[in-house]
Amino acid sequence: MPTPTVFEETASYWTEIADANHTAEQVSFTKKALPAEGTVLDLACCTGRHLIELCKSGYPVVGLDFSRRLLHIAQDKAADAGVTAWLVRADMRFLPFRSASFGSTISLDSSIGYLPSEEAELQSLNEVARTLRNRGAFLVDVFNGARIAKRHRQNYDLGLRWLILGLLPRFPLLAALFKWRDYPSFRLLQKRSVVDAETKLRDLWVFQNKQTGKITIHQHVIRLYSSSKLADMLGKAGFGALRFYGDYTGQEYRKDSRRLAVVAEKQENLKA
């Protein structure tokens, strides 16, 4: 399955997590980074939080995701917001659009990195290039791999409390041993570690439903990218004129930046 099942399994919880995650700053940064003309493709649009705000600002946007549940949530949120959202379910390695369909494409909040291999990721980037017009902009926003690896490389030892996580669904009273993050309908535990020679980030998520008290455990793994690795892959896909940013205010990228955001341009000599 090209999109991790964790988002299907936790869709209602993920909606609350995503909605609390810098949406306004991300959209503001996007509007400054993208050209004003042409339709925008929101790649891996998730719950539609970015595309809805862009639609409100007058951008024509198409949202694409592989998760039916997330797309249904996005459709409901768009209806509640009074905007018309064009939503498509598809694998990002095989975009169901004609060549040169879009003026720009966005991939925000670490939507790249879930496919099974780097070859599959490159296939997706090639598809983005194919469906962009010449000189079209591609905004990619991912975890800063250098910062994540430095912060979490010591987290292999989960400690005694984390070794009993597997017991929580059967013994919910053990939840008192942990400090939970609070959301409207649930509580969350998150434990991060870097794995596979520091090329991937692994999140262990523990959810407790506030209404029922039920506890569920999920694992979430994403591929990490350095600025040089991401630049190399974008170059192979036919992108150039790369501009790197370290946060949503437009600060210059550094190894200790909170984010790794790149605005790339499809090269004119790339065949559509």
Side-chain angles (χ1 to χ4, degrees), residues 30 34 40-44 50-51 54 61 104-108 137-140:
T30 298
L34 295 184
V40 179
L41 172 62
D42 187 353
L43 192 68
H50 301 115
L51 71 88
L54 289 172
V61 187
S104 54
T105 296
I106 61 175
S107 174
L108 298 175
F138 182 27
L139 170 57
V140 186

Side-chain angles (χ1 to χ4, degrees), residues 68-87:
R68 284 191 177 90
R69 293 188 67 187
L70 292 178
L71 288 173
H72 287 156
I73 291 170
Q75 189 67 65
D76 290 342
K77 290 167 69 70
D80 291 341
V83 301
T84 300
W86 298 94
L87 300 172

Side-chain angles (χ1 to χ4, degrees), residues 95-272:
L95 298 181
F97 309 113
R98 293 179 179 177
S99 297
S101 294
F102 301 103
S104 54
T105 296
I106 61 175
S107 174
L108 298 175
D109 214 353
S110 303
S111 297
I112 287 179
Y114 294 108
L115 294 176
S117 66
E118 285 189 2
E119 290 75 16
E121 300 284 1
L122 181 57
Q123 182 179 349
S124 175
L125 296 182
N126 284 328
E127 280 288 271
V128 171
R130 179 186 65 79
T131 56
L132 271 177
R133 299 174 185 172
N134 282 333
R135 301 182 65 85
F138 182 27
L139 170 57
V140 186
D141 164 44
V142 296
F143 288 118
N144 179 6
R147 184 175 188 267
I148 290 288
K150 182 178 180 180
R151 293 189 68 193
H152 298 289
R153 62 169 50 105
Q154 302 300 323
N155 287 1
Y156 296 106
D157 181 6
L158 297 179
L160 179 60
R161 288 186 309 160
W162 291 93
L163 293 177
I164 65 172
L165 276 177
L167 300 176
L168 285 179
R170 293 178 58 195
F171 302 101
L173 291 178
L174 294 174
L177 297 174
F178 298 89
K179 184 177 181 180
W180 298 74
R181 295 184 190 178
D182 193 64
Y183 290 88
S185 68
F186 67 94
R187 299 195 301 161
L188 171 68
L189 291 176
Q190 181 184 48
K191 184 64 175 178
R192 291 193 147 169
S193 58
V194 288
V195 296
D196 292 353
E198 300 184 355
T199 63
K200 294 181 181 179
L201 170 67
R202 179 175 64 195
D203 279 339
L204 193 64
W205 287 343
V206 184
F207 297 96
Q208 184 175 41
N209 186 293
K210 286 183 177 180
Q211 183 175 1
T212 65
K214 182 180 178 180
I215 293 175
T216 56
I217 301 176
H218 304 272
Q219 183 171 273
H220 162 260
V221 180
I222 185 171
R223 188 173 292 102
L224 295 173
Y225 287 102
S226 65
S227 58
S228 59
K229 182 64 176 180
L230 187 56
D232 178 64
M233 293 188 68
L234 288 168
K236 289 178 179 177
F239 290 97
L242 308 182
R243 305 194 304 276
F244 290 86
Y245 302 93
D247 62 20
Y248 302 128
T249 68
Q251 291 293 315
E252 184 179 354
Y253 170 78
R254 300 187 304 270
K255 284 189 176 181
D256 62 346
S257 295
R258 293 187 61 84
R259 303 295 301 178
L260 170 56
V262 186
V263 179
E265 183 180 279
K266 177 181 173 178
Q267 300 302 282
E268 291 189 40
N269 60 356
L270 184 69
K271 292 182 180 180

Side-chain angles (χ1 to χ4, degrees), residues 11-33:
S12 60
Y13 293 149
W14 181 247
T15 301
E16 294 181 28
I17 295 173
D19 286 349
N21 195 30
H22 307 291
T23 301
E25 294 91 335
Q26 291 164 346
V27 171
S28 177
F29 175 69
T30 298
K31 291 192 289 187
K32 293 175 183 177

